[in-house]
Amino acid sequence: MRALVLTGPGEAEVQEVPAPVAAAGQVIVDVERAGVCGTDVELFTGEMSYLHSGVSSYPLRPGHEWSGTVTATGPGVDESWLGKRVTGDTMIACGHCRRCRAGRHHVCDKMRELGIRDGLPGALAEQLAFPTTYLYELPPTVDATVGALVEPGGNAQRSVTAAALDPGERLLILGTGTIGLLAAMIARSRGLEVHLLGHHLDVARHLGFDRAWTRDTLPGLAWDGVIDATNSPDMPGLAVQLVEPGRRVVWIGLSGTPSTVDSREVVLKDVTTVGILGASAGLADTVRAYASGSVDPRPLVAATVGLEQAADVLAGARPAGAGPGPKILIDPRR
């Protein structure tokens, strides 16, 4: 089968690789859509910290935002999975340790990440072998495009939940990329007053978020919760400065250099800070939100291109005719 392979920093090519065979507890998925995100770009450029710590290495097959159809089952797998459209968790854990048993498998010491860490080839390929333990069936109202946005939606879902706000309260989201905009959509569906801060606000306003600001125009309001969905080292500290005393700051963005946060301000304002790693606990709620139509992520997709164009997308190229949204999807069947 064809798969995208990262062969070194700034180097990627589509290669013919052995098709996967379903092991015990696994299915084979024909991948219909796979998303490209910032983590994939950092793996391509060589900036991803896992490459420096030895957790990941080249050659590497990326892709952790995906949807597809089950076409084969391995030993011990119920054949009712055949023909179902599915997506899956990125975090694949041991399932037996104290953290896994407590529902925190995404921080398991033996946790592997699909398409990110070594050992689990990703979904930027025609087929994918995947364990049923971490599989999610997609209802008929969730098509291939929307299914590939479940994983980023799960991260956004967890972020909004962690802000712990009631309907009518005011949420400020720093960042207008895919996660920031998905968090805004989810927060709006929960009845929150949503504000966004960013540099590029056209997409946010097109999605109906009129309360979209730059640093210069941000009003001096009381922010009941703040989510930082940027990659700027300055934003985590700004979030603490802006949030109301006694409320919550949620950090889901990761900067390339260490962020500076004054812990004295956290203490003296009695602020609760929450870090979000991965979508795991938010996936089921995201599938339900997409299926019900309360959140429609499709306007975020700027273009869908074939596997041969994936390397150009990772290098920062914008496909011809792309819309204004931040997300590029890959159809590996093209």
Side-chain angles (χ1 to χ4, degrees), residues 186-197:
I186 291 164
R188 180 170 60 188
S189 76
R190 297 187 186 188
L192 303 182
E193 181 186 310
V194 180
H195 296 248
L196 286 147
L197 184 148

Side-chain angles (χ1 to χ4, degrees), residues 44 211 326:
F44 170 74
R211 301 181 182 99

Side-chain angles (χ1 to χ4, degrees), residues 81 85-89 132 134-138 280 283-284 287:
W81 279 109
R85 177 173 281 128
V86 294
T87 189
D89 198 340
T132 56
Y134 298 97
L135 206 59
Y136 286 79
E137 182 180 357
L138 298 176
S280 302
L283 293 171
V287 171

